[in-house]
């Protein structure tokens, strides 16, 4: 028993000594300790170098009438030397970093990018591959591909001084295509195709400053063509339908429609674009020969210069004094517009429903409507077009508007 006790004491003593040794070894060999000691040595060196005041003229360099401390000069030379060594090791091709394909790779904030040229790869802040392509004169210029931190392609195509320029493809965050076509200063410009997130086409045609502008073709969510015509700041130019025959309008609008007929007039609801047009005809005339007299846009804002204008006060600032302002009994196209809006909410209160006789699934005979119901209308002339904004009552806010030619006003 006594021998075992002595042996245990000896083992515990050895363990204690070894634990102390291992602890000190780990501390002295840890990077944080080495870094701390190294920083302290460098700090002490420079403090000693710069902290001693010159004692006589031999401690100075004399340049003309100036005397400069030798220690200060030595420190400056040393600092310049360290910076030069760092620059050489990072800027020369001998020390440059290459990836597995031999392509030069830089961090996004690397000074070396300012002088890089040709095909490179750039890493983002968190180390992900942010760009793979050409650079010149310190800018992303030429063809290349931009990535997000998830590794999906954001854009691939041509760049000019860090901006999308020329032909390219822009994607949604998940990597699905959003737009394919021309760019100018990061904005859609020229001809292009716009896609929805599910991959279906939304629009194909001309763009200007990032918006649908010029001739274009709209698609529904099933990739079916629904409207072809002119666009301005992302909006359909409805005025181009005025004066056309129904047959001619059919070349513009190809989507589903609902037709409302009387003996002398018709209203066609263009369901896919939220608008309807009103035509008049003689009783013996063919339906396709009737002319579009008004186009009704079922939205509570007017698009002007890419901005949504929602109040009559702002309309007055744009178009000036109204041609007409006051109450008016509703006419057939207004009754249909109101009926459509009320189907999605009680927008116009107190108005009776249309009396319809359905002949086909998309065609109905109008037997009557509440033509004693009144609305408040503001009408303005802009160019050759008259714009009429329809309110439920006298108000600064309208529910929809319609356009007509001056001779129809």
């Amino acid at each position: 028993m006594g021998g075992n006790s002595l042996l245990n004491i000896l083992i515990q003593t050895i363990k204690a000594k070894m634990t102390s040794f291992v602890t000190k070894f780990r501390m002295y060999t840890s990077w944080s300790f080495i870094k701390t000691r190294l920083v302290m040595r460098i700090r002490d060196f420079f403090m000693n170098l710069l902290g001693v005041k010159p004692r006589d003229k031999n401690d100075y360099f004399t340049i003309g009438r100036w005397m400069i401390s030798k220690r200060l000069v030595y420190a400056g030379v040393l600092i310049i030397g360290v910076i030069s060594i760092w620059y050489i090791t990072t800027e020369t091709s001998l020390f440059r970093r290459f990836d597995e394909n031999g392509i030069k790779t830089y961090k996004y904030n690397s000074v070396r990018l300012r002088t890089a040229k040709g095909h490179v790869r750039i890493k983002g802040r968190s180390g992900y591959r942010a760009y793979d392509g050409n650079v010149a004169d310190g800018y992303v210029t030429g063809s290349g591909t931009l990535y997000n931190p998830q590794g999906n392609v954001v854009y691939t195509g041509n760049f000019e001084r860090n901006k999308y320029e020329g032909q390219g493809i822009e994607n949604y965050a998940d990597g699905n295509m959003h737009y394919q076509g021309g760019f100018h200063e990061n904005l859609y410009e020229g001809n292009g195709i716009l896609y929805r997130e599910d991959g279906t086409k939304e629009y194909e045609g001309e763009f200007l400053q990032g918006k649908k502008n010029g001739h274009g073709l709209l698609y529904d969510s099933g990739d079916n063509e629904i409207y072809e015509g002119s666009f301005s700041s992302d909006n359909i130019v409805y005025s181009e339908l005025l004066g056309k025959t129904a047959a001619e309008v059919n070349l513009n609008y190809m989507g589903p429609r609902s037709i409302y007929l009387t003996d002398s007039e018709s209203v066609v609801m263009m369901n896919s674009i939220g608008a309807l047009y009103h035509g008049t005809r003689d009783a013996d005339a063919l339906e396709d020969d009737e002319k579009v007299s008004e186009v009704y846009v079922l939205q509570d804002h007017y698009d002007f210069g890419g901005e949504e204008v929602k109040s009559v006060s702002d309309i007055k600032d744009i178009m000036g004094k109204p041609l007409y302002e006051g109450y008016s009994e509703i006419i057939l196209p207004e009754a249909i517009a109101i009926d459509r809006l009320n189907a999605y909410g009680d927008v116009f209160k107190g108005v009776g429903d249309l009396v319809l006789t359905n002949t086909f699934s998309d065609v109905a005979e109008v037997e009557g409507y509440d033509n004693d119901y009144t609305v408040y209308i503001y009408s303005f002339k802009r160019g050759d077009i008259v714009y009429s904004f329809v309110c439920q009552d006298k108000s600064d806010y309208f529910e929809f508007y319609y356009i007509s030619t001056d001779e129809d006003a």
Side-chain angles (χ1 to χ4, degrees):
M1 293 291 293
N4 288 337
S5 298
L6 290 174
L7 181 60
N8 288 334
I9 292 172
L10 179 60
I11 291 172
Q12 293 300 323
T13 302
I14 293 173
K15 282 185 176 180
K17 294 290 185 179
M18 288 299 296
T19 300
S20 176
F21 173 77
V22 170
T23 301
K24 290 182 178 179
F25 178 78
R26 287 179 177 175
M27 182 184 70
Y28 291 144
T29 57
S30 68
W31 169 240
S32 60
F33 179 81
I34 294 173
K35 183 172 66 174
T36 301
R37 293 297 297 270
L38 186 61
V39 170
M40 290 177 61
R41 291 288 181 88
I42 294 173
R43 184 195 62 186
D44 292 342
F45 171 77
F46 279 103
M47 288 183 66
N48 292 332
L49 182 64
L50 300 174
V52 179
K53 294 183 180 180
R55 298 175 181 176
D56 56 48
K57 64 180 182 179
N58 292 326
D59 292 331
Y60 290 93
F61 287 116
T62 303
I63 302 175
R65 300 171 62 182
W66 297 90
M67 296 181 67
I68 303 175
S69 169
K70 290 183 178 180
R71 287 181 176 270
L72 184 60
V73 172
Y74 295 153
V77 171
L78 183 60
I79 293 172
I80 293 172
V82 170
I83 294 174
S84 299
I85 292 171
W86 169 82
Y87 181 82
I88 291 172
T89 57
T90 57
E91 288 296 325
T92 62
S93 59
L94 180 63
F95 294 96
R96 279 179 182 163
R97 295 180 60 188
F98 295 82
D99 66 8
E100 64 275 8
N101 297 315
I103 300 173
K104 291 173 287 187
T105 303
Y106 304 90
K107 290 184 178 180
Y108 75 99
N109 58 353
S110 172
V111 177
R112 294 176 292 161
L113 272 175
R114 298 179 183 177
T115 58
K117 189 174 183 179
H119 188 188
V120 304
R121 283 180 178 163
I122 301 174
K123 291 185 177 182
R125 183 184 297 273
S126 60
Y128 71 95
R129 179 175 60 172
Y131 176 75
D132 188 334
N134 290 284
V135 296
D137 302 323
Y139 295 95
V140 171
T141 295
S143 61
T145 301
L146 196 65
Y147 300 85
N148 62 18
Q150 291 72 42
N152 298 321
V153 174
V154 174
Y155 171 86
T156 184
N158 201 62
F159 293 82
E160 183 68 32
R161 297 176 71 87
N162 294 345
K163 294 182 178 180
Y164 306 162
E165 189 72 35
Q167 293 298 305
I169 297 173
E170 181 190 65
N171 295 334
Y172 289 101
D174 60 3
N176 289 333
M177 188 184 300
H178 183 204
Y179 171 83
Q180 179 180 18
F183 287 85
H184 177 58
E185 294 187 347
N186 285 341
L187 300 176
Y188 310 149
E189 189 100 355
N191 290 304
I193 304 174
L194 199 62
Y195 296 87
R196 299 180 180 88
E197 289 192 69
D198 62 4
T200 59
K201 280 185 184 180
E202 177 183 334
Y203 171 84
E204 180 176 3
E206 296 177 293
F207 290 84
L208 180 66
Q209 295 182 346
K211 296 183 178 181
K212 306 178 191 78
N213 206 92
H215 186 81
L217 182 59
L218 278 180
Y219 295 82
D220 65 15
S221 57
D223 256 347
N224 302 304
E225 298 177 357
I226 56 172
Y227 188 86
E228 182 175 7
S230 299
F231 291 79
S232 177
S233 297
D234 276 342
N235 298 290
I236 295 173
V237 180
Y238 293 103
S239 59
E240 71 175 349
L241 302 180
L242 293 173
K244 288 186 174 183
T245 65
E248 290 171 331
V249 173
N250 288 343
L251 299 177
N252 293 102
Y253 180 75
M254 295 82 76
R257 67 195 72 207
S258 300
I259 302 173
Y260 303 83
L261 299 174
T262 68
D263 290 338
S264 60
E265 57 186 335
S266 67
V267 175
V268 178
M269 180 68 203
M270 297 177 285
N271 299 314
S272 297
I273 60 174
L276 59 86
Y277 64 85
H278 178 219
T280 56
R281 58 184 167 88
D282 295 330
D284 297 329
L286 296 175
E287 180 185 331
D288 285 352
D289 290 336
E290 64 188 16
K291 298 286 182 116
V292 174
S293 55
E294 298 105 20
V295 177
Y296 289 71
V297 184
L298 305 188
Q299 60 187 31
D300 61 357
H301 61 272
Y302 169 68
D303 295 292
F304 178 75
E307 300 292 331
E308 293 186 355
V309 182
K310 294 191 174 185
S311 72
V312 176
S313 298
D314 291 335
I315 297 292
K316 290 179 179 179
D317 291 339
I318 296 169
M319 299 187 181
K321 185 178 179 180
L323 288 175
Y324 171 80
E325 175 186 346
Y327 287 98
S328 175
E329 293 179 350
I330 61 173
I331 58 176
L332 175 62
E334 292 171 345
I336 294 172
I338 289 170
D339 183 73
R340 281 297 181 122
L341 290 173
N342 280 349
Y344 298 99
D346 195 11
V347 179
F348 286 85
K349 302 181 185 300
V351 62
D353 293 333
L354 290 170
V355 180
L356 304 174
T357 301
N358 290 317
T359 56
F360 297 99
S361 60
D362 57 350
V363 180
E365 294 281 350
V366 180
E367 299 294 333
Y369 61 92
D370 187 5
N371 54 5
D372 291 329
Y373 187 81
T374 59
V375 292
Y376 199 87
I377 296 177
Y378 298 87
S379 294
F380 302 83
K381 182 180 178 182
R382 193 163 186 261
D384 294 330
I385 306 298
V386 174
Y387 294 79
S388 297
F389 298 86
V390 181
C391 312
Q392 179 180 351
D393 208 334
K394 186 175 182 180
S395 170
D396 196 36
Y397 297 95
F398 56 93
E399 305 301 337
F400 64 93
Y401 71 93
Y402 62 93
I403 60 174
S404 58
T405 54
D406 190 19
E407 53 266 29
D408 293 327

